[in-house]
């Protein structure tokens, strides 16, 4: 056995690094160590979409007509490499599919590419239960930035993981459905799918109804709060503002926190 000098060893190592591994192998290794994201197509309630992930978690989900558009979106947004994975972990994909159809699962998300503010907005949006909605101003208040209502709207408009992070459950402060990154018709469709009566909400908006109260508890709620929905017709009162509710002696609900 020949002993190698340090210099010879270095030369050999250099030579080894020049060996070109097959590109798929290289991608697989890079994906394993978390340097690139992988993606696969997936069925969503709004049609075929694409989901990407890395070792940190799910990094993006978009409803787009084809893979090339998803790659373009991803590269523009994150400037990271993305490779398609035709044989993804079935268990992982079935969990994503289950979450898309409404199952409450603790999926990991990779929100590294976002600002602290955007992350705070999305984390808060994630806490809105299925079948309920909150206004943009609620998120702004909850993340202790009450004046940033408009910025909340734009952070939600740039949500890289819509549907799983339910930005569709955030509506305008006047009760109208408002914008959505897949269009307001899709927002309405998602909410209907989750059991929200969007027609009723728009009727409330037209009549200035913002809160529900119960004359037995003297608590007021957002109309979709699970507590508000339990109030029976004869005990239900409505308010058009927090001031009106407070003046009538009502306290804000501790669950939906309307004020
Ligand atoms: Zn409530």
């Amino acid at each position: 056995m020949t002993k190698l000098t340090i210099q010879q060893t270095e030369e050999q190592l250099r030579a080894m690094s020049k060996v070109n591994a097959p590109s798929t192998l290289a991608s697989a290794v890079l994906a394993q160590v978390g340097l690139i994201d992988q993606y696969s197509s997936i069925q969503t309630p709004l049609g075929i979409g694409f989901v990407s992930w890395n070792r940190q978690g799910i990094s993006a989900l978009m409803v787009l007509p084809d893979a090339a558009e998803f790659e373009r979106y991803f590269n523009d947004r994150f400037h990271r490499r993305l490779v398609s994975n035709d044989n993804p972990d079935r268990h992982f994909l079935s969990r994503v599919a289950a979450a898309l159809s409404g199952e409450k699962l603790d999926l990991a998300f990779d929100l590294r590419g976002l600002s602290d503010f955007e992350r705070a907005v999305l984390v808060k949006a994630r806490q809105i239960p299925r079948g309920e909605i909150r206004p943009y101003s609620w998120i702004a208040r909850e993340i202790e930035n009450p004046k940033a209502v408009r910025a909340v709207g734009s952070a939600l408009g740039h949500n890289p993981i819509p549907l799983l992070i339910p930005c569709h459950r955030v509506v305008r402060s006047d009760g109208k459905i408002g914008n959505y990154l897949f269009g307001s018709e899709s927002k309405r469709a998602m909410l209907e799918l989750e059991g929200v009566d969007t027609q009723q909400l728009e009727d409330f908006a037209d009549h200035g109804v913002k809160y529900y109260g119960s004359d037995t508890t003297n608590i007021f709620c957002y109309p979709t709060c699970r507590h508000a929905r339990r109030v029976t017709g004869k005990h239900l009162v409505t308010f058009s503002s927090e001031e009106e509710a407070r003046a009538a002696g009502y306290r804000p609900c501790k669950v939906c926190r309307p004020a």
Side-chain angles (χ1 to χ4, degrees), residues 76-176:
D76 287 351
R77 179 80 196 255
F78 299 108
H79 312 289
R80 288 200 303 267
R81 268 190 65 198
L82 181 69
V83 288
S84 92
N85 183 340
D86 300 328
N87 191 19
D89 178 353
R90 289 282 136 208
H91 175 67
F92 165 72
L93 271 199
S94 66
R95 273 170 60 85
V96 176
L100 283 170
S101 52
E103 216 173 296
K104 209 163 182 276
L105 292 170
D106 195 18
L107 294 172
F109 295 134
D110 174 16
L111 298 175
R112 279 175 299 170
L114 281 70
S115 71
D116 290 348
F117 178 82
E118 289 172 320
R119 249 196 312 274
V121 168
L122 297 184
V123 166
K124 189 45 77 174
R126 232 188 136 188
Q127 296 170 5
I128 306 170
R130 186 180 167 90
E132 298 190 25
I133 56 167
R134 300 287 183 271
Y136 295 109
S137 55
W138 177 83
I139 293 211
R141 196 169 60 236
E142 289 272 318
I143 63 169
E144 290 170 13
N145 211 331
K147 291 207 171 76
V149 177
R150 199 179 276 267
V152 164
S154 82
L156 292 171
H158 289 107
N159 176 6
I161 317 173
L163 307 179
L164 293 176
I165 297 178
C167 54
H168 58 275
R169 294 179 196 153
V170 191
V171 303
R172 276 172 32 175
S173 300
D174 63 5
K176 298 276 187 193

Side-chain angles (χ1 to χ4, degrees), residues 221 225 253 256:
C221 281
C225 172
C253 167
C256 66

Side-chain angles (χ1 to χ4, degrees), residues 219-222 225-228 253-258:
I219 287 172
F220 70 100
C221 281
Y222 286 122
C225 172
R226 60 182 183 275
H227 290 288
C253 167
K254 285 199 168 72
V255 173
C256 66
R257 299 182 295 278

